[in-house]
Amino acid sequence: MNEDKRLPEAELEIMLELWKHEGAQRTSDILAQLDNGWTLSTLKVLLGRLVEREYIECTRDGRLMSYRAKVSEESYRRRETNGLLSKYYKGSAKSLVAALAMDDGLTQKDLAEIANMLKAKEAK
Amino acid sequence: MNEDKRLPEAELEIMLELWKHEGAQRTSDILAQLDNGWTLSTLKVLLGRLVEREYIECTRDGRLMSYRAKVSEESYRRRETNGLLSKYYKGSAKSLVAALAMDDGLTQKDLAEIANMLKAKEAK
DNA sequence: TTTTTTAGTTGACAAATGTAAATGAAAATG
DNA sequence: CATTTTCATTTACATTTGTCAACTAAAAAA
């Protein structure tokens, strides 16, 4: 499959929108949601490319098209996260978290909560 | 400046290599380090583009060129990390860390160590 | 059922990216 | 010094990406 290449920026924007909703979305709704200056034309072309890459699939309801994600946000996010990790943090999640902490992105409380999550998971 | 656009994959590869060393590096050394199949030609073109973007600068030592990063890894990494955060984790560092924890990327010990770092920093 | 709207499909094109060969100039060799 | 080897700089070209406008077909309206 093609599912191991990163998406170009514009197509990713669309995926991010599709991932927000469970079901399929109408072309025009997607356009409205995105609310970047694209024309319908532009959106359609990008959607077409995403279909080719098999990132999404479409169903036609009469004359209207609807699209929904085939590749899950979960899996794509995981790939992107791992990519960031390996490129900039020597693959160490701990380094990344440390950096976030130093950047004021994390509080003691956050850490405590996550430690609890972890404990709960281990207990399982 | 141009410093707010992401680099194309190939150029990033070069930056990652340059960031590994403090000083300037010879073209041929870079090529050797990268050790992907590029020809010298290819590398040079990419280096040229990076110079244009002002991501790196070059000095010539006789007939040889050396390059070194102008944009710091630190700053680029921060940008990329924030990008990931906002795209896939609603901007919440905590969500990202939770995801890492669930993916077995983090141990209790890691968290404890980071909590200590944070404490030390706050004490300052 | 003709006309007008709409939504979808194609064809186009410029800019960016990946890759490399051709060209030029300086340095090492014979 | 003439020749060969090394680098670096240019030019080239196929793909990919970003953006549309033109063209089609179907539905709604007149």
Side-chain angles (χ1 to χ4, degrees), chain A residues 6 12 76-78 81 88-89 93-94 97 102-105 108 110 113-115 117 119 121, chain B residues 6 12 76-78 81 87-89 93-94 97 102-105 108 110 113-115 117 119 121:
Chain A
R6 312 182 77 194
L12 179 57
Y76 195 80
R77 165 173 49 207
R78 188 175 264 119
T81 303
Y88 307 106
Y89 296 93
K94 186 182 160 191
V97 177
M102 291 322 248
D103 273 17
D104 302 308
Q108 296 277 1
D110 291 337
E113 285 176 31
I114 290 162
M117 277 188 33
K119 201 171 300 173
K121 180 187 156 213
Chain B
R6 314 182 72 194
L12 178 58
Y76 195 80
R77 166 173 47 207
R78 189 176 263 116
T81 303
K87 279 189 207 128
Y88 307 106
Y89 297 92
K94 187 182 160 193
V97 177
M102 291 321 247
D103 272 18
D104 302 308
Q108 295 277 359
D110 292 337
E113 285 175 31
I114 291 163
M117 277 186 34
K119 202 170 300 172
K121 180 189 155 212

Side-chain angles (χ1 to χ4, degrees), chain B residues 7-24:
Chain B
L7 290 176
E9 203 59 40
E11 284 166 51
L12 178 58
E13 256 191 83
I14 296 176
M15 291 308 292
L16 289 171
E17 175 50 37
L18 289 180
W19 281 326
K20 287 189 191 153
H21 304 271
E22 200 49 34

Side-chain angles (χ1 to χ4, degrees), chain A residues 19 72-79, chain B residues 103:
Chain A
W19 281 326
S72 76
E73 172 168 32
E74 175 66 15
S75 67
Y76 195 80
R77 165 173 49 207
R78 188 175 264 119
R79 284 207 282 125
Chain B
D103 272 18

Side-chain angles (χ1 to χ4, degrees), chain A residues 5-114:
Chain A
K5 210 198 279 96
R6 312 182 77 194
L7 291 176
E9 203 60 39
E11 285 166 51
L12 179 57
E13 255 191 82
I14 296 176
M15 290 309 292
L16 288 171
E17 174 50 35
L18 289 181
W19 281 326
K20 287 189 191 152
H21 304 271
E22 199 49 35
Q25 284 173 272
R26 289 286 163 70
T27 313
S28 51
D29 294 337
I30 300 174
L31 190 68
Q33 288 301 143
L34 286 175
D35 187 42
N36 50 12
W38 293 347
T39 61
L40 230 292
S41 234
T42 298
L43 177 59
K44 267 304 295 175
V45 171
L46 276 316
L47 283 170
R49 291 177 185 169
L50 280 168
V51 171
E52 274 167 30
R53 295 184 210 271
E54 303 191 71
Y55 262 74
I56 66 180
E57 60 188 2
C58 66
T59 44
R60 72 174 335 123
D61 176 20
R63 68 273 93 177
L64 294 255
M65 296 313 255
S66 290
Y67 299 84
R68 88 178 173 59
K70 277 179 72 178
V71 172
S72 76
E73 172 168 32
E74 175 66 15
S75 67
Y76 195 80
R77 165 173 49 207
R78 188 175 264 119
R79 284 207 282 125
E80 289 293 281
T81 303
N82 286 331
L84 184 89
L85 227 42
S86 64
K87 280 190 206 126
Y88 307 106
Y89 296 93
K90 304 196 188 71
S92 155
K94 186 182 160 191
S95 303
L96 166 54
V97 177
L100 291 171
M102 291 322 248
D103 273 17
D104 302 308
L106 283 177
T107 64
Q108 296 277 1
K109 185 153 158 276
D110 291 337
L111 288 174
E113 285 176 31
I114 290 162

Side-chain angles (χ1 to χ4, degrees), chain B residues 30 96 108 112 124:
Chain B
I30 300 174
L96 166 54
Q108 295 277 359
K124 213 183 35 164

Side-chain angles (χ1 to χ4, degrees), chain B residues 21-57:
Chain B
H21 304 271
E22 200 49 34
Q25 285 173 271
R26 290 286 164 69
T27 313
S28 50
D29 294 338
I30 300 174
L31 189 68
Q33 288 301 143
L34 285 176
D35 186 42
N36 50 12
W38 292 347
T39 62
L40 230 294
S41 231
T42 298
L43 177 60
K44 266 304 294 173
V45 171
L46 276 315
L47 283 169
R49 290 178 185 168
L50 280 167
V51 171
E52 274 168 28
R53 294 184 210 274
E54 302 192 72
Y55 263 73
I56 66 181
E57 61 189 3

